[in-house]
Amino acid sequence: MTPADTGASTTVGAAASVSAPDVPGTPDVHTPRMAPGGPGYRRMSLALFLAGVATFALLYSTQALLPLISGDMGVTAGDASWTVAAATGGLAVFVLPMSALSERFGRRTVMTASLAVAVTVGLLVPFAPSLPALVALRAVQGAALAGLPASATAYLAEEVAPRALVTAIGLFVAGNSVGGMSGRVITGWVAQEWGWRVAVGVIGVVAVACAVAFRMLLPAPKHFTPGSLRPGVLARTVRDHLANPLLRRLYAIGALFMTVFGGVYTVIGYRLAEAPFSLPQGVIGSIFLVYLVGTVSASTAGRLVGRLGRRGALYLGGSTTAAGLLLSLAPSLPLVLLGLVLITAGFFAGHAVASSAVSRTAAHGRAQASALYQSAYYIGSSAGSTVGAVAFHSGGWAGTVGVGLLAVSGVVAITVTGSLAARRTGRGVPARA
């Protein structure tokens, strides 16, 4: 992250922006968009990084704890996986309505409210008396978090200079990876000593701190224009986005990448707890340190696109993920870890490239465009968590890997379709989806 200007005028301006109105009547066309080294960029980057940390830490707070939840509540891996699928499913269902609210009331307002509700529910999760109650609380938490992803990417698309957009979104995605990693590592070691309920409670407290810091740091929007909440307007915007072949392909790519990731990380705890590895819960949680690789790959996605182009970067992300899946089949812990590193690097790079492409492609209704991507993305997560767990129950780790390889094949096929469509367009032939 590039250091911000340290001059006195910049400090005053940044501080003033936090107290500025959230929803101005018209965008301030005279205020330049934020860019690395410019006023507000560092505060914005840190704020959204922390929002990403809180989102993924809460959303996947039970994932590393599934074996303990299964044992405590006497349920199967498939049943316990619903504590993950319910949260991601709730987010997938509510992300579009929440994006509509952000078009009307402002990105920062909706993100703040979403985090406030999510962290409150997070403090209640440890007291769930049964699996149905736990699943219900997780669904509410996921629905609350729906206000974050689409609003954040729309905020960036409006407030950040186009040349810095991929990098800025990459930093937000990097916050996701840090949240996912820290949440799993913390819960692993805490749960080993005090149980899974205390572990998810600790994550709730961490998320509260992130939410408070986010609200204090994020600059007020300068280029936001309030939209309409009329259902007809929203329906037309959604229809326009779904009619765009490129956006449809990007939505499918996001869903398929997340199917791989959701399946692998939902099941990996069960695999490592069994022979021949038989690892304790704390060590299993530490495995998620490989998320740091995702932090790097997501934050460098802009440079990757600059060198290889968008489709080249997606090919690289898909092939890296596939190689990691195949390596993870080995009965050797070092090779399994290397496989997880490759899966994580490929996934976060592909996700950062696809999500930033959505923001750049949408000419209007950016929040809805991003919301549709996030909806597809988290539908993929829910599907991956559930199908991956079922495949593991019936066919072991090889079954989960098979599901992942099928999803990666879909990413490659869709990207090839995009390449062919681009060639047809270049020859003057209308491209089809």
Side-chain angles (χ1 to χ4, degrees):
M1 189 181 302
T2 304
D5 183 7
T6 56
S9 60
T10 297
T11 303
V12 172
S17 69
V18 175
S19 61
D22 236 17
V23 185
T26 57
D28 185 353
V29 296
H30 300 294
T31 301
R33 297 177 189 269
M34 288 182 283
Y41 185 85
R42 189 176 184 180
R43 295 175 66 95
M44 175 275 299
S45 297
L46 180 56
L48 290 178
F49 181 86
L50 291 173
V53 169
T55 299
F56 256 45
L58 290 171
L59 195 62
Y60 294 100
S61 59
T62 63
Q63 193 174 58
L65 305 173
L66 293 181
L68 294 181
I69 294 173
S70 292
D72 182 44
M73 296 187 166
V75 298
T76 66
D79 290 335
S81 71
W82 279 103
T83 64
V84 179
T88 54
L91 193 153
V93 170
F94 280 88
V95 67
L96 187 58
M98 294 295 277
S99 74
L101 292 177
S102 83
E103 289 282 7
R104 179 63 184 88
F105 298 108
R107 320 302 186 194
R108 191 173 68 162
T109 298
V110 169
M111 287 189 283
T112 301
S114 294
L115 274 178
V117 174
V119 298
T120 300
V121 175
L123 297 176
L124 298 176
V125 166
F127 303 101
S130 63
L131 183 65
L134 177 59
V135 170
L137 284 171
R138 296 282 292 148
V140 172
Q141 193 171 47
L145 288 170
L148 264 297
S151 297
T153 51
Y155 175 95
L156 289 169
E158 292 163 352
E159 305 299 327
V160 175
R163 62 183 173 82
L165 181 59
V166 176
T167 299
I169 290 180
L171 288 170
F172 174 64
V173 174
N176 294 168
S177 71
V178 170
M181 175 205 68
S182 59
R184 290 160 172 88
V185 173
I186 292 170
T187 56
W189 286 106
V190 173
Q192 183 171 301
E193 297 296 327
W194 295 288
W196 69 268
R197 294 179 185 274
V198 174
V200 294
V202 169
I203 291 302
V205 172
V206 171
V208 168
C210 288
V212 171
F214 160 81
R215 187 59 179 83
M216 292 175 64
L217 288 169
L218 188 68
K222 299 292 186 182
H223 301 275
F224 170 73
T225 303
S228 171
L229 277 176
R230 288 180 295 172
V233 175
L234 176 62
R236 283 195 297 273
T237 301
V238 170
R239 184 187 60 209
D240 289 346
H241 292 327
L242 292 178
N244 186 317
L246 174 55
L247 287 177
R248 288 203 303 267
R249 290 194 293 270
L250 292 171
Y251 297 153
I253 286 170
L256 290 169
F257 264 123
M258 196 54 169
T259 297
V260 181
F261 200 68
V264 165
Y265 279 101
T266 294
V267 173
I268 190 64
Y270 289 98
R271 190 193 182 200
L272 295 178
E274 296 177 351
F277 307 112
S278 303
L279 299 180
Q281 186 64 43
V283 176
I284 290 174
S286 297
I287 296 298
F288 291 92
L289 285 169
V290 298
Y291 265 50
L292 289 172
V293 176
T295 304
V296 175
S297 66
S299 60
T300 59
R303 291 198 295 271
L304 193 64
V305 171
R307 292 182 179 181
L308 302 177
R310 184 180 66 248
R311 286 185 291 273
L314 290 173
Y315 284 131
L316 181 60
S319 60
T320 301
T321 303
L325 287 167
L326 293 173
L327 266 180
S328 72
L329 289 167
S332 163
L333 185 58
L335 290 179
V336 171
L337 293 178
L338 179 58
L340 290 175
V341 166
L342 294 177
I343 292 167
T344 304
F347 161 74
F348 275 106
H351 169 42
V353 170
S355 60
S356 61
V358 168
S359 295
R360 291 178 66 89
T361 300
H364 68 287
R366 286 192 177 96
Q368 281 73 49
S370 296
L372 288 169
Y373 175 84
Q374 296 294 334
S375 182
Y377 175 81
Y378 286 108
I379 287 172
S381 178
S382 295
S385 298
T386 304
V387 176
V390 171
F392 180 78
H393 180 73
S394 60
W397 182 250
T400 303
V401 168
V403 171
L405 289 173
L406 186 62
V408 171
S409 298
V411 170
V412 174
I414 292 169
T415 307
V416 168
T417 300
S419 298
L420 295 176
R423 290 178 184 176
R424 286 196 297 271
T425 303
R427 296 177 186 141
V429 180
R432 297 178 182 177

